[in-house]
Amino acid sequence: SAVISQKPSRDICQRGTSLTIQCQVDSQVTMMFWYRQQPGQSLTLIATANQGSEATYESGFVIDKFPISRPNLTFSTLTVSNMSPEDSSIYLCSVGVGRATNTEAFFGQGTRLTVV
Amino acid sequence: AQSVTQLDSHVSVSEGTPVLLRCNYSSSYSPSLFWYVQHPNKGLQLLLKYTSAATLVKGINGFEAEFKKSETSFHLTKPSAHMSDAAEYFCVVSARGYGNKLVFGAGTILRVKS
């Protein structure tokens, strides 16, 4: 299993500013994932963060808006840049644990972001 | 590509009656399938998973799901609903051929009436 700590748990930010969300895992993992859950919606994958390489972004998400760092095997950050009210969402960090054919995903508690 | 369709956005049952949450998937590779539960203002919790072993999977809190390849379905059931089961449930698919990325269904909100 894996225990994931996300900070901050929630924040209210002014439009045009940026927020960096931190994700700390209690074990070394190869891949970390960042998701967004907009109000009343399901989870959408933003990007996959591998240690030592650039993050891989899903369609509709770009590095300039959501820069990601992955300095080591237990830590990652996601920055939401130049925020607008449409960025108000829950952002979740996730890791996969187990053999490739038996991977189980664990999630942080999420960061509830409100942009005003 | 892979996708998940949860056939009901809302399900309402009476306490003590059976629960059925329906999920159909699409994947070009052999899938792994999961059900997650999200209680209000809480994180996601894994209920159960299918990863190419037994097709009938038992999870926590009395939930189980059956993988039916011919029907591309993975419906979640529970014989008797409890008030504490009220939450949102997500069906999720992943496959090694897609880098084990998780694709979430839209979610089903389960309401349990007393």
Side-chain angles (χ1 to χ4, degrees):
Chain A
S1 67
V3 176
I4 302 172
S5 301
Q6 251 186 267
K7 291 193 296 186
S9 59
R10 60 179 62 229
D11 207 343
I12 300 173
C13 300
Q14 297 289 326
R15 69 177 66 201
T17 64
S18 298
L19 176 71
T20 295
I21 302 167
Q22 298 180 3
C23 178
Q24 179 76 52
V25 188
D26 69 343
S27 57
Q28 294 184 338
V29 293
T30 303
M31 291 194 291
M32 297 176 75
F33 304 90
W34 287 98
Y35 290 86
R36 179 176 73 181
Q37 186 176 23
Q38 294 177 297
Q41 305 285 321
S42 185
L43 279 75
T44 302
L45 181 64
I46 298 171
T48 303
N50 294 323
Q51 194 269 334
S53 64
E54 292 283 333
T56 303
Y57 289 82
E58 297 299 305
S59 175
F61 298 96
V62 295
I63 187 171
D64 290 345
K65 176 66 176 177
F66 297 102
I68 288 171
S69 78
R70 183 79 201 276
N72 58 53
L73 291 172
T74 64
F75 187 79
S76 178
T77 67
L78 169 76
T79 299
V80 185
S81 303
N82 188 25
M83 289 183 285
S84 68
E86 291 70 35
D87 295 320
S88 298
S89 296
I90 299 173
Y91 292 85
L92 297 107
C93 170
S94 171
V95 302
V97 177
R99 294 184 299 118
T101 56
N102 192 28
T103 300
E104 177 173 337
F106 294 87
F107 290 84
Q109 291 292 323
T111 297
R112 186 179 296 271
L113 170 62
T114 302
V115 183
V116 297
Chain B
Q2 52 185 357
S3 65
V4 175
T5 302
Q6 290 184 242
L7 295 159
D8 307 291
S9 59
H10 292 79
V11 170
S12 183
V13 301
S14 297
E15 191 174 22
T17 64
V19 175
L20 170 64
L21 305 183
R22 298 182 294 165
C23 171
N24 286 101
Y25 72 91
S26 173
S27 178
S28 298
Y29 300 94
S30 294
S32 294
L33 291 155
F34 310 83
W35 276 97
Y36 283 86
V37 61
Q38 186 177 40
H39 288 91
N41 299 312
K42 297 286 183 65
L44 283 161
Q45 181 182 22
L46 179 67
L47 277 179
L48 50 80
K49 62 180 178 180
Y50 164 79
T51 54
S52 76
T55 56
L56 181 61
V57 181
K58 294 186 185 299
I60 62 172
N61 300 335
F63 285 95
E64 63 181 39
E66 185 171 8
F67 173 70
K68 292 187 176 180
K69 185 176 180 179
S70 62
E71 298 177 10
T72 61
S73 69
F74 191 59
H75 302 332
L76 181 70
T77 61
K78 183 174 181 177
S80 176
H82 191 273
M83 295 298 290
S84 61
D85 295 327
E88 187 163 18
Y89 293 78
F90 293 99
C91 182
V92 181
V93 65
S94 75
R96 190 175 184 180
Y98 295 111
N100 287 322
K101 287 188 286 190
L102 302 180
V103 174
F104 282 74
T108 299
I109 294 173
L110 175 65
R111 179 184 170 217
V112 182
K113 299 175 289 186
S114 59

